[in-house]
Amino acid sequence: MKEITVTEPHFVTTFSCSGSACRDHCCKGWKITLDKATANKYVSSKNETIRKIAKDNIILIKKDVNNWGEIKLPSTLGSCPYLDEERLCLVQKTLGVKALSRTCSYFPRIQLTYKHEVRNSLSLACPEVASRILNDPDAMVINDKTVIQPQFNTAPVFQSEQKLLNLFCLSIINHADVRPEAALYALIKFMMVAQKFTRIDEDALAELEQVYVTLVEQLQSGALAQELHGINSDGSVKVSLVLQMQNYFRSLPDSRGSVILEQYIQCLLRAITAEEGGDITQRVSETEAQLDKLLQEDEQHSAYALRNFILYKIWGNNYPNQTDVEPLRALYMIVAEYTFIKLLVAASARERGRLEWDDVTNIVYSFHSRSQHNRDVATHFHQYIETVRAGDDLSMIHLLT
C-alpha cells in the first residue's frame, strides 16, 4: 500500500453546495456533456420521468465515449430539464449521486494529480466558492492529510523544488496588507530572479531564500509600497485592458453569468466615460482611488478578501510551475484578471457610494463563469489577453500603479 498526500485549502475542506439557495446555479446556460454510460442509463432508465426527459432532451453526438450526448436546453440561458421546481436535480433525487454524469458530479471540483500527492481546489465560477474565498479569513489556510491506496498515482512527480517555489510565492502574497499590489510587485521581483536559473538546485534556493527574506522585510516596512507608488505609471495600459476585456466578453455568446457580468461592465463604462471628451485615464484613476478609500474604511474584511483571491490564483494554478507558459507570462495573466475585477468592483462601489461584498462575489463568479469554467474556455480567454500584453510581461507593473 502507498501513502498519498492530499493537500487542500480550508475552503475546499468545508465546501458544500448551496443547492436551491444558490444565487446562480450551475445547471443552466452551459453545455452539459454526457458520457456514453450515463446517456444510455438515462435513456433506458426504469424511472419514467428520467427516461422521458432523456428521450426528449438528450442529443446523441457520439463523438467519443466521454462525449456521447448533450443535454438540450430550452434556450441559451435555460435550465437543464432535469432541474425540478425546487431547483434541485431530479437525477440525484431519484437515482442517487452516482447516477450523475462526470460533468455534473465533478463541478466545481478541480484536482491536480501527481505521483505521490493530490492538490484539490474548487472553481471560482461557482458563486458559493467565490463567496467563501472573499468572506472567510481562513479560506486559504492549507491543510494536508494522508490517504492510503494500492498504488502510486500514474502521474509526474511533484518535485520538492517546485513545492518550495509555490510556497515562496504564497508566502509573499500572505504578507500583503489591505491592497495586494505591493505584494504582487514583490512577486514580480522574486520571479525575475528565479527565472535566471535553468534549474533550482541548492545554490539557487539559497539565493532565492535571501531574495525572499529581503522582499518580505521591504513589504513589512512599506518600502516596496513606496517604491511602487513612485513608478511613473502609464495609465493607457489599464485603459487598454478595460477596452480589450469588455470587447472580449461582449464577443461571446450568452451563457451562465453573462447577464450579471454585463451589468458590472456597463457600470465600469459609465464610470470612465461619464464626461464626453474627458480623460479616461484620469477617470480610471479617480474610480480606483475611491475604492481604495472604501477598502481602508472596511479594513478588517479587506485585509484578507483580496489577498485570498490572489492566494487562490497562486494555489489553483500551482504557480510558477505551469508547464505550458513562462512564469512571468502566467503572472501577467493573474495581475490582469485581478486588475479588471478590481476595476469592476471600484465602479460598482462608486455608483452605489459604498462597497458591497455581494457585488464582489457576483463579479468574481460571473467573470470566471464566462472566462474559465473549463480548460478550453480558459485557454481562449488567456490567448485574448495576449493582445493587451503586447509582448511585454513587465507592463503588468503599470497595472499595479
Side-chain angles (χ1 to χ4, degrees):
M1 302 299 284
K2 307 299 182 183
E3 289 188 354
I4 302 294
T5 301
V6 178
T7 311
E8 61 189 27
H10 180 69
F11 80 91
V12 176
T13 307
T14 59
F15 174 80
S16 63
C17 176
S18 55
S20 59
C22 184
R23 69 180 70 195
D24 191 11
H25 63 81
C26 55
C27 305
K28 69 172 187 180
W30 279 350
K31 182 170 71 173
I32 303 172
T33 303
L34 304 177
D35 57 85
K36 183 176 181 179
T38 302
N40 291 339
K41 184 187 301 179
Y42 295 174
V43 170
S44 60
S45 175
K46 293 180 180 178
N47 183 287
E48 183 179 352
T49 302
I50 299 295
R51 187 174 65 251
K52 184 178 186 309
I53 292 174
K55 290 182 177 178
D56 292 342
N57 296 280
I58 292 180
I59 303 169
L60 296 177
I61 54 176
K62 301 183 179 181
K63 184 177 179 180
D64 55 56
V65 293
N66 294 316
N67 295 274
W68 199 255
E70 290 179 5
I71 298 288
K72 179 175 67 178
L73 302 181
S75 62
T76 303
L77 297 177
S79 294
C80 174
Y82 283 115
L83 206 67
D84 67 13
E85 294 178 356
E86 298 176 320
R87 299 207 311 171
L88 295 173
C89 178
L90 279 172
V91 171
Q92 185 167 344
K93 267 187 174 182
T94 58
L95 304 182
V97 68
K98 290 184 178 180
L100 293 173
S101 69
R102 189 179 188 280
T103 300
C104 298
S105 62
Y106 210 67
F107 183 84
R109 295 161 188 83
I110 301 170
Q111 193 171 78
L112 293 178
T113 302
Y114 299 94
K115 185 173 182 177
H116 304 116
E117 66 184 273
V118 172
R119 292 162 63 97
N120 291 328
S121 189
L122 298 165
S123 172
L124 281 176
C126 169
E128 181 65 18
V129 173
S131 179
R132 287 177 183 238
I133 290 289
L134 295 167
N135 294 295
D136 180 1
D138 296 324
M140 285 306 302
V141 173
I142 309 298
N143 305 304
D144 289 342
K145 65 180 179 181
T146 300
V147 299
I148 306 298
Q149 61 187 48
Q151 300 293 333
F152 287 124
N153 297 320
T154 306
V157 173
F158 189 22
Q159 302 291 346
S160 58
E161 295 83 1
Q162 294 177 305
K163 294 180 191 178
L164 283 170
L165 282 174
N166 183 243
L167 288 172
F168 274 136
C169 295
L170 289 168
S171 183
I172 288 172
I173 299 301
N174 255 323
H175 285 87
D177 58 14
V178 172
R179 299 178 72 250
E181 281 80 357
L184 284 166
Y185 182 50
L187 189 52
I188 292 170
K189 289 193 159 198
F190 180 81
M191 291 313 305
M192 288 178 68
V193 176
Q195 73 175 0
K196 295 189 308 181
F197 301 106
T198 54
R199 70 186 188 92
I200 306 299
D201 55 19
E202 288 186 7
D203 291 337
L205 282 174
E207 183 173 340
L208 287 172
E209 185 174 4
Q210 185 55 53
V211 171
Y212 162 80
V213 170
T214 301
L215 289 170
V216 168
E217 289 174 350
Q218 292 174 339
L219 275 172
Q220 293 174 331
S221 69
L224 274 181
Q226 188 175 355
E227 181 181 322
L228 182 62
H229 183 71
I231 292 175
N232 188 18
S233 176
D234 181 358
S236 66
V237 177
K238 281 183 185 174
V239 173
S240 177
L241 177 70
V242 170
L243 297 178
Q244 292 289 351
M245 287 281 200
Q246 66 98 16
N247 285 340
Y248 173 77
F249 286 116
R250 287 180 166 181
S251 72
L252 300 176
D254 287 342
S255 66
R256 176 178 171 271
S258 58
V259 174
I260 298 295
L261 185 60
E262 176 62 19
Q263 291 173 357
Y264 290 103
I265 290 175
Q266 285 291 339
C267 182
L268 175 57
L269 293 178
R270 286 195 297 271
I272 65 176
T273 60
E275 298 175 6
E276 188 173 346
D279 186 343
I280 294 181
T281 302
Q282 181 62 30
R283 295 286 296 179
V284 168
S285 180
E286 291 171 356
T287 302
E288 285 188 297
Q290 187 163 346
L291 176 61
D292 288 340
K293 181 174 180 294
L294 293 171
L295 288 171
Q296 291 293 341
E297 292 172 357
D298 189 15
E299 185 173 356
Q300 185 175 359
H301 196 161
S302 304
Y304 64 81
L306 298 181
R307 181 181 68 228
N308 276 355
F309 175 79
I310 304 297
L311 288 171
Y312 170 91
K313 289 292 181 176
I314 301 295
W315 168 262
N317 291 308
N318 191 14
Y319 182 83
N321 299 310
Q322 299 98 313
T323 58
D324 56 345
V325 60
E326 292 295 320
L328 281 177
R329 181 81 49 88
L331 185 54
Y332 184 100
M333 299 301 175
I334 293 173
V335 171
E337 290 175 23
Y338 166 75
T339 301
F340 185 65
I341 286 171
K342 188 180 174 186
L343 285 169
L344 292 174
V345 172
S348 173
R350 182 171 186 167
E351 194 160 278
R352 288 187 185 277
R354 64 187 185 279
L355 175 60
E356 293 282 357
W357 288 100
D358 255 7
D359 284 325
V360 186
T361 296
N362 284 337
I363 289 166
V364 168
Y365 98 77
S366 62
F367 174 90
H368 288 83
S369 178
R370 294 284 279 162
S371 66
Q372 293 166 57
H373 74 267
N374 66 40
R375 185 175 298 177
D376 290 341
V377 171
T379 299
H380 183 252
F381 170 67
H382 288 140
Q383 286 172 345
Y384 193 89
I385 292 182
E386 286 286 313
T387 61
V388 181
R389 191 184 63 84
D392 182 6
D393 293 320
L394 292 180
S395 66
M396 69 177 125
I397 294 174
H398 293 297
L399 297 177
L400 299 175
T401 58

